Amino acid sequence: MDKFALTKLSYGMYAIGTKDAQNRFCGCIANSLMQITAEPATVALSINHDNYTNQCIKDTKEFSVCVLGEKTNPLIIGTFGFRSAKDIDKFANVNHKTAGDLPVCTDSCAYLLCKLISTTETSTHTIFIASVEDCEILSDDTPMTYAYYHNIIKGNSPKSAPTYITQS
């Protein structure tokens, strides 16, 4: 089986934001997000069990999704994708605002504010089903795809990414 066939699926790049038990902003990078319905607006998001943001979403039952663009500073991906919010304040050096009490990276195309409806557990990831409570377009930048991230920016995937494939 050639698992690299899975890389032909379409993915976006998203900065997820929420809060932890100490009410600190935290978040991570996600590439597995999809719209389930338009009416009511509902999305599904996949986050690794080992990711600090996973438990924070379960605790707060809300999260923001920022659609990253091709012009988004790649340091956002590095900060949110390869470091833990347990150890650093990921929003300290990132332009952001608060929307609906959640952090939103302003260097993005758009954002969604989401309320948790339900979860489904897989062996490695939680799938969060959420209603979109609010959303806004922030720029006319082209949304970044996972293919763009790999082929143009030359970015890598951490082992906790749902799309990580071991190189043979």
Side-chain angles (χ1 to χ4, degrees):
M1 176 166 60
D2 183 0
K3 289 187 179 179
F4 285 95
L6 296 169
T7 66
K8 301 301 181 186
L9 296 173
S10 297
Y11 302 93
M13 291 292 288
Y14 311 98
I16 307 302
T18 191
K19 295 179 286 187
D20 65 12
Q22 293 77 40
N23 215 31
R24 294 181 315 127
F25 289 159
C26 59
C28 65
I29 291 295
N31 65 0
S32 295
L33 175 91
M34 68 176 217
Q35 180 179 337
I36 297 173
T37 62
E39 202 52 51
T42 308
V43 295
L45 169 68
S46 176
I47 302 285
N48 190 287
H49 292 154
D50 295 336
N51 194 306
Y52 184 67
T53 303
N54 183 307
Q55 188 60 50
C56 295
I57 292 172
K58 288 176 180 174
D59 292 344
T60 63
K61 302 192 180 351
E62 63 182 357
F63 59 92
S64 62
V65 175
C66 297
V67 180
L68 301 182
E70 291 180 357
K71 296 176 187 169
T72 296
N73 186 337
L75 293 176
I76 291 175
I77 297 168
T79 300
F80 280 75
F82 293 92
R83 306 200 53 203
S84 175
K86 284 189 254 183
D87 304 325
I88 66 160
D89 177 356
K90 293 186 178 186
F91 287 90
N93 297 312
V94 172
N95 292 333
H96 69 282
K97 68 179 185 175
T98 302
D101 205 30
L102 290 168
V104 170
C105 296
T106 54
D107 185 10
S108 58
C109 300
Y111 71 84
L112 315 173
L113 301 180
C114 302
K115 288 267 189 226
L116 192 60
I117 296 171
S118 66
T119 61
T120 298
E121 299 297 333
T122 72
S123 60
T124 58
H125 287 69
T126 302
I127 301 168
F128 297 97
I129 309 295
S131 62
V132 178
E133 301 295 310
D134 195 8
C135 50
E136 180 181 357
I137 294 174
L138 297 176
S139 78
D140 62 357
D141 191 6
T142 301
M144 184 186 303
T145 64
Y146 204 51
Y148 182 92
Y149 170 69
H150 281 292
N151 298 329
I152 306 300
I153 296 178
K154 304 294 185 197
N156 296 314
S157 301
K159 286 188 176 188
S160 62
T163 52
Y164 177 80
I165 298 174
T166 304
Q167 301 288 327
S168 20

